C-alpha cells in the first residue's frame, strides 16, 4: 500500500452487466479512470459451488470459469459469432483445438493464447491444477456429488486408481486445464489494461475453504478430519451483530500443526495463485489467523464453539518473506481481541473501518471518522452490509439522529453524505461499493450473512450510472485529496 491517499470502488466481476471478463470489464476500468480512483476491489474469483458464493469455492486456486468471456475470445480471433451461445465446455473444446493447431478462425487482436503458453501454464500451476482437473472430472462423472460420496479408491485419492483414471480420461482432463488457462489469460489481459491506466486490482482470500473442494480431497492431512475423512469440527463465528446464534459456516478447520511442519506450502501456493491475479489482497476473517471459532461438527448452530489458536505470526512471516512486494489488508471486523490487533500491527497491515457501524454509540466507537487511524481501509459498507441507502432507510431512530447531528444535516443527502465522510477520513485508502455510487436501495444488496437465498446475484446496468452521479463522485474524490490523474 502506498502512502498517498487513494480511493477505490468495490464491484465484483459478476456484478458487471455481462458478469465476466469481457468488454464490459474494460469499460468499467475506463469508468474508474474517469472517476479519478486508483483501486478496483472485487470479491474472491475462485470457482464457486452452485450457490455462487465466492466464499465457498471448489478450489482455493482455480478461477471462476463462468467469468470467461466468449465475446472477448471472439474479439481476440478465437471463436466465431455463431459460437457465442455455445455451452462453455463446447466453446472451450473448439478454442482448444484451434490453439493447438495454431489456426485462429478470424484475424482478431490475437491476445494471449498459444499451445506453448498452455504447456507452460500446466507446468507452473501443476501444484494445484492436476488435482483440480481430476477433482472436476470425477465430480462431473459422479453427478456433482461431494467427493465423500465417491467410490473408496477415488475418495481416498488412491495414486494407482487416479493414474489409471488419467490414462482413460486425458481429453476431459486437458479441457478442464485449458479452461483454467483461458481464465488466467483473460484475467492477465484485463489486469495489464487496468495497471497501465493506473488502476490496481484488490482481491479477497477467504480464510477457509469448502469441505467439498479439491484442496480438502487432495490434502486431507492438512485439515481436521477423522479416520473416515469426515469433519470433526467446522468453522464459523459466535453470536454477534449479524446473528443471535452466530454463523455456522461449515468449513473444515486447518490442522495447523501439520501445515506448519510442512512450511505452510499449501498457503504459500494459494497466495502465489492470487498474487498473479491481484496487486492487493484482503485476508478475509483475519482474526482466524490468531484464533478461530471451532464448532463440533454435530452442532446445528455456532453457539457451542470454542476459540482455537492458530500460528498466525509464523504464517504471516512465511507469506511476507516469500512475497515481499504483495500488499495485504486485514479484514478485522467482528470480535477483535488485543491479540488479533497485536498480530495485525506486528505486520503493519491496514485494518477495515465501516462507516455504517459508526453511529448510535459513544464517542469511543472505533468507526467514527475521527477515530479511524491512517493505516486503514475505510468503507461506507461492504458486500455483507446493506447498501448505504438501504441501511439508512431501515436504521433505528437513535442511529439516524446521531448521524444527523454528526453531519449537522437534518436530513442529510444519502448516501452521498456517508460517501463524503468515508472519503474525508484519515484512512489512506477509501473504498465505496458501486451500489452506493449509484444510490441504490436494499434491492441491490449483495449478501445477507446467515442466509442462503437471493445472494450474489446483483448486477449493475450502465443506465444507472448517469453523468451526474459519475461527476458527483469524482468531485468528492477530488475534494478529499484522493484523486488519481
Amino acid at each position: 500500500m502506498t502512502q498517498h491517499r487513494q480511493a477505490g470502488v468495490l464491484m465484483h466481476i459478476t456484478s458487471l452487466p455481462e458478469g465476466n471478463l469481457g468488454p464490459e470489464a474494460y469499460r468499467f476500468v475506463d469508468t474508474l479512470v474517469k472517476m479519478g480512483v486508483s483501486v478496483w476491489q472485487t470479491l474472491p474469483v475462485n470457482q464457486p459451488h452452485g450457490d455462487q458464493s465466492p466464499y465457498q469455492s471448489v478450489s482455493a486456486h482455480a478461477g471462476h470459469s463462468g467469468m470467461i468471456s466468449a465475446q472477448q475470445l471472439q474479439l481476440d480471433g478465437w471463436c466465431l459469432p455463431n459460437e457465442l451461445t455455445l455451452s462453455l465446455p463446447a466453446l472451450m473444446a473448439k478454442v482448444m483445438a484451434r490453439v493447438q493447431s495454431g489456426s485462429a478462425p478470424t484475424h482478431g487482436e490475437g491476445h494471449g493464447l498459444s499451445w506453448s503458453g498452455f504447456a507452460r501454464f500446466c507446468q507452473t500451476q501443476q501444484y494445484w491444477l492436476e488435482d483440480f482437473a481430476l477433482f472436476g472430472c470425477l465430480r462431473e462423472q459422479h453427478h456433482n456429488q461431494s467427493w465423500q460420496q465417491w467410490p473408496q479408491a477415488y475418495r481416498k485419492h488412491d495414486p494407482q486408481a487416479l493414474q489409471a483414471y488419467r490414462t482413460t480420461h486425458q481429453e476431459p482432463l486437458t479441457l478442464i486445464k485449458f479452461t483454467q488457462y483461458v481464465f488466467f489469460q483473460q484475467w492477465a489481459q484485463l489486469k495489464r489494461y487496468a495497471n497501465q491506466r493506473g488502476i490496481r486490482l484488490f482481491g479477497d482470500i477467504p480464510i477457509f475453504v469448502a469441505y467439498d473442494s479439491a484442496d480438502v480431497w487432495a490434502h486431507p492431512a492438512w485439515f481436521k478430519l477423522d479416520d473416515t475423512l469426515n469433519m470433526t469440527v467446522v468453522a464459523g463465528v459466535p453470536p454477534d451483530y449479524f446473528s443471535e446464534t452466530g454463523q455456522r459456516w461449515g468449513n473444515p478447520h486447518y490442522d495447523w500443526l501439520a501445515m506448519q511442519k510442512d512450511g505452510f506450502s499449501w498457503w504459500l501456493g494459494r497466495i502465489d495463485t492470487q498474487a498473479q491475479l491481484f496487486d492487493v489482497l484482503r485476508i478475509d476473517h483475519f482474526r482466524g489467523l490468531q484464533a478461530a471459532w471451532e464448532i463440533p461438527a454435530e452442532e446445528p448452530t455456532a453457539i457451542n464453539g470454542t476459540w482455537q489458536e492458530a500460528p498466525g505470526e509464523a504464517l504471516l512471516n512465511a507469506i511476507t518473506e516469500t512475497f515481499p512486494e504483495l500488499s495485504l489488508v486485514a479484514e478485522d471486523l467482528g470480535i477483535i481481541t488485543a491479540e488479533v490487533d497485536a498480530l495485525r500491527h506486528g505486520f503493519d497491515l491496514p485494518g477495515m473501518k465501516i462507516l455504517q457501524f459508526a453511529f448510535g454509540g459513544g464517542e469511543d466507537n472505533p468507526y467514527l471518522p475521527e477515530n479511524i487511524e491512517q493505516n486503514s481501509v475505510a468503507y461506507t459498507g461492504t458486500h455483507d452490509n446493506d447498501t448505504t441507502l438501504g441501511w439508512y432507510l431501515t436504521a433505528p431512530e437513535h442511529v439516524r439522529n446521531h448521524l444527523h447531528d454528526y453531519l449537522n444535516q437534518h436530513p442529510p443527502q444519502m448516501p452521498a453524505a456517508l460517501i463524503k465522510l468515508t472519503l474525508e477520513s484519515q484512512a489512506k485508502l477509501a473504498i465505496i461499493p458501486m451500489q452506493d455510487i449509484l444510490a441504490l436501495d436494499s434491492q441491490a444488496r449483495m449478501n445477507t450473512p446467515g442466509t442462503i437465498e437471493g445472494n450474489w446475484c446483483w448486477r449493475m446496468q450502465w443506465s444507472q450510472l448517469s453523468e451526474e452521479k459519475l461527476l458527483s463522485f469524482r468531485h468528492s474524490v477530488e475534494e478529499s485529496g484522493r484523486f488519481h490523474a
Side-chain angles (χ1 to χ4, degrees):
M1 300 287 284
T2 56
Q3 293 308 306
H4 65 274
R5 287 163 66 78
Q6 299 176 82
V9 175
L10 172 58
M11 168 86 159
H12 197 36
I13 302 293
T14 61
S15 292
L16 290 163
E18 295 294 330
N20 60 38
L21 298 169
E24 300 286 12
Y26 293 82
R27 182 178 175 184
F28 191 69
V29 169
D30 294 339
T31 301
L32 296 177
V33 173
K34 289 177 187 173
M35 289 175 171
V37 305
S38 54
V39 176
W40 177 3
Q41 182 174 359
T42 74
L43 306 184
V45 296
N46 303 108
Q47 184 72 48
H49 282 267
D51 66 355
Q52 298 303 306
S53 169
Y55 296 90
Q56 292 284 353
S57 60
V58 297
S59 167
H61 303 278
H64 185 351
S65 60
M67 292 181 183
I68 291 173
S69 168
Q71 195 177 355
Q72 195 63 42
L73 285 167
Q74 184 201 347
L75 288 172
D76 293 345
W78 292 110
C79 75
L80 297 167
N82 63 359
E83 295 170 344
L84 294 178
T85 55
L86 290 174
S87 69
L88 184 67
L91 178 63
M92 288 296 100
K94 284 186 177 293
V95 174
M96 185 170 77
R98 287 164 184 159
V99 171
Q100 187 172 15
S101 66
S103 57
T106 67
H107 296 292
E109 296 175 24
H111 286 294
L113 306 181
S114 70
W115 199 247
S116 59
F118 176 46
R120 282 193 302 275
F121 175 78
C122 290
Q123 189 175 16
T124 59
Q125 307 301 313
Q126 187 179 8
Y127 65 97
W128 65 269
L129 188 61
E130 191 67 32
D131 280 319
F132 174 72
L134 283 165
F135 180 82
C137 207
L138 283 162
R139 200 164 185 270
E140 187 174 340
Q141 186 176 322
H142 294 96
H143 311 291
N144 289 327
Q145 285 183 315
S146 168
W147 60 266
Q148 183 63 295
Q149 310 302 316
W150 299 351
Q152 183 168 334
Y154 297 146
R155 179 164 50 90
K156 296 209 164 180
H157 206 269
D158 179 78
Q160 284 183 303
L162 293 178
Q163 187 52 49
Y165 189 84
R166 281 190 197 94
T167 305
T168 56
H169 293 78
Q170 282 187 2
E171 197 172 316
L173 288 169
T174 304
L175 189 61
I176 289 174
K177 294 176 187 177
F178 183 81
T179 302
Q180 284 300 305
Y181 169 60
V182 173
F183 170 87
F184 276 83
Q185 284 297 118
Q186 286 201 343
W187 188 281
Q189 194 173 320
L190 177 65
K191 185 174 187 292
R192 275 194 304 273
Y193 186 87
N195 288 168
Q196 286 166 0
R197 284 151 185 80
I199 305 294
R200 295 192 302 156
L201 300 187
F202 183 173
D204 196 359
I205 288 192
I207 184 78
F208 297 114
V209 297
Y211 175 65
D212 186 19
S213 66
D215 306 273
V216 179
W217 171 66
H219 308 288
W222 291 341
F223 299 87
K224 291 188 175 179
L225 309 180
D226 63 20
D227 293 340
T228 61
L229 303 181
N230 284 310
M231 292 180 287
T232 55
V233 289
V234 298
V237 289
D240 63 6
Y241 169 86
F242 289 118
S243 171
E244 291 179 3
T245 58
Q247 296 176 49
R248 185 190 183 281
W249 296 336
N251 308 72
H253 270 277
Y254 300 117
D255 185 331
W256 282 116
L257 196 60
M259 284 192 156
Q260 192 163 6
K261 276 184 183 174
D262 188 59
F264 301 111
S265 65
W266 178 83
W267 265 97
L268 294 178
R270 185 185 193 192
I271 298 291
D272 187 33
T273 313
Q274 299 306 303
Q276 296 168 43
L277 303 175
F278 296 105
D279 304 296
V280 184
L281 276 178
R282 181 186 96 136
I283 301 175
D284 183 51
H285 197 62
F286 176 81
R287 70 108 51 247
L289 295 186
Q290 189 278 318
W293 192 246
E294 280 193 357
I295 308 156
E298 65 274 9
E299 286 285 334
T301 74
I303 295 173
N304 297 317
T306 54
W307 291 107
Q308 296 294 322
E309 288 194 8
E313 186 175 354
L315 173 62
L316 287 168
N317 271 325
I319 291 172
T320 52
E321 285 170 14
T322 309
F323 305 96
E325 300 301 314
L326 183 64
S327 294
L328 295 174
V329 171
E331 186 272 284
D332 56 346
L333 307 174
I335 302 170
I336 301 302
T337 63
E339 292 83 358
V340 179
D341 276 336
L343 180 63
R344 181 174 69 80
H345 288 303
F347 289 87
D348 199 29
L349 302 183
M352 289 175 59
K353 301 300 179 189
I354 311 300
L355 271 288
Q356 287 185 20
F357 296 164
F359 303 98
E363 293 180 2
D364 59 347
N365 185 320
Y367 300 105
L368 280 168
E370 62 268 26
N371 296 334
I372 294 177
E373 61 190 39
Q374 190 177 356
N375 194 27
S376 301
V377 184
Y379 297 79
T380 47
T382 74
H383 65 279
D384 279 335
N385 303 112
D386 201 345
T387 67
T388 291
L389 183 58
W391 163 78
Y392 175 74
L393 293 174
T394 58
E397 190 175 0
H398 75 282
V399 171
R400 277 196 280 187
N401 287 339
H402 185 188
L403 175 64
H404 296 173
D405 292 342
Y406 189 92
L407 294 167
N408 197 24
Q409 297 175 25
H410 302 268
Q413 184 71 36
M414 292 293 284
L418 205 68
I419 290 174
K420 186 176 170 64
L421 215 52
T422 304
L423 290 171
E424 290 178 349
S425 73
Q426 288 300 304
K428 60 183 177 183
L429 175 59
I431 301 276
I432 309 299
M434 192 62 189
Q435 292 97 316
D436 289 351
I437 295 169
L438 300 176
L440 300 177
D441 62 17
S442 301
Q443 289 187 322
R445 182 171 184 162
M446 191 62 166
N447 178 51
T448 305
T451 67
I452 56 174
E453 297 293 328
N455 297 318
W456 318 115
C457 54
W458 176 73
R459 283 193 181 178
M460 74 165 281
Q461 301 301 322
W462 288 113
S463 59
Q464 295 170 315
L465 183 61
S466 64
E467 190 74 6
E468 183 185 0
K469 284 175 182 171
L470 192 154
L471 292 176
S472 172
F473 181 62
R474 177 188 167 109
H475 181 66
S476 295
V477 172
E478 283 178 320
E479 278 198 323
S480 64
R482 300 181 184 274
F483 187 77
H484 177 81

